[in-house]
Amino acid sequence: MRVLRAAGIVIVSMLPPAASAADMNAAGQAPARDWSGFYLSAGGGFGWWSADQYTDFGGFPAPGPSEQTTGSGGFATVGGGYDWQFAPSWLAGAYADAQFGDIRGTIRAPFEQYSGTTSNRLNLAAGLRLGVLATPDVLIYANGGYSHAEFTGSGLDPTPLVPLSVAGQHYDGWFVGGGVENTLDFTGIASPGWFMKTEYRFADYGRKSAGMYVDATGAPDSAIAFKPKVQTLSFSLVYRFNEAGNTRF
């Protein structure tokens, strides 16, 4: 009996602790991370836009070629969404975000050779994304959806006999993009719930006429037809409320 008791003690001492056993799946491998759940994000980045434009006289373009101008600058971004992991390395999600910044460039009425400075101050987006887990901690994804952009107005130079300005405008369009999201564990510091995301986005907006007006009276003049395309590269921190580190079996 003493021998059997001693053998039992040795066998029990060789078994893994209960917590360690629970952390292993049936195949004896560490389970993958669960990406499903709500999240918030915040960060910043750099953007640039280009716009094809011409002088618009009551819906009729002025004779001569259109011109293209560009702008660039920085922005901050905040957003949030929900992801659903399935099958088991795929992820689908819905989200919305906003970019606040000063992506500044030139707006021009080519026929009169008037020009001013306009800034893309606000971009809003709502869309879907689909991604695949390259590893349990790294997501590669593509996204797309609705986008809204706002551009500021400006005074015009060279100053005409009657000083003119161009009104600010807002645009509705679509965007496509993609990026990479990963945990912060690669830093060597345990960071439950914290991720980082790098994303590129291209947004295209329909042509819209920004009206010119007389500064002194507000009386309308001609307009500048403006069709912008905006590109952004952003870097964000993401916090997931499902306690990233929860596991799937």
Side-chain angles (χ1 to χ4, degrees), residues 119-143:
S119 177
N120 177 207
R121 292 287 180 85
L122 174 66
N123 296 314
L124 303 174
L128 303 174
R129 71 173 179 172
L130 178 66
V132 63
L133 293 170
T135 75
D137 293 338
V138 178
L139 172 71
I140 301 173
Y141 66 90
N143 57 8

Side-chain angles (χ1 to χ4, degrees), residues 32-230:
R33 185 181 301 272
D34 186 355
W35 288 66
S36 296
F38 290 97
Y39 64 88
L40 293 176
S41 64
F46 183 80
W48 58 101
W49 57 259
S50 62
D52 179 54
Q53 54 212 284
Y54 58 79
T55 304
D56 182 352
F57 293 101
F60 298 95
S66 62
E67 293 192 26
Q68 187 174 81
T69 62
T70 61
S72 61
F75 63 88
T77 180
V78 294
Y82 182 87
D83 286 328
W84 174 53
Q85 186 178 342
F86 63 98
S89 297
W90 288 87
L91 179 143
Y95 69 96
D97 60 29
Q99 297 173 345
F100 308 90
D102 187 10
I103 308 177
R104 184 180 297 266
T106 301
I107 186 170
R108 180 173 293 126
F111 186 77
E112 297 103 332
Q113 289 301 305
Y114 296 152
S115 65
T117 299
T118 185
S119 177
N120 177 207
R121 292 287 180 85
L122 174 66
N123 296 314
L124 303 174
L128 303 174
R129 71 173 179 172
L130 178 66
V132 63
L133 293 170
T135 75
D137 293 338
V138 178
L139 172 71
I140 301 173
Y141 66 90
N143 57 8
Y146 164 79
S147 186
H148 172 88
E150 295 189 2
F151 285 77
T152 61
S154 172
L156 294 174
D157 293 316
T159 304
L161 294 177
V162 179
L164 299 174
S165 293
V166 61
Q169 288 294 323
H170 57 83
Y171 298 84
D172 296 303
W174 53 268
F175 77 90
V176 294
V180 177
E181 185 173 336
N182 57 272
T183 72
L184 292 182
D185 292 345
F186 74 92
T187 61
I189 301 174
S191 51
W194 288 100
F195 291 65
M196 65 177 294
K197 177 174 66 174
T198 302
E199 180 178 305
Y200 166 80
R201 189 177 296 177
F202 171 87
D204 195 335
Y205 302 97
R207 189 181 301 279
K208 193 171 184 178
S209 290
M212 291 188 284
Y213 59 91
V214 178
D215 286 351
T217 65
D221 196 82
S222 53
I224 300 174
F226 192 75
K227 189 179 187 302
K229 296 180 175 66
V230 180

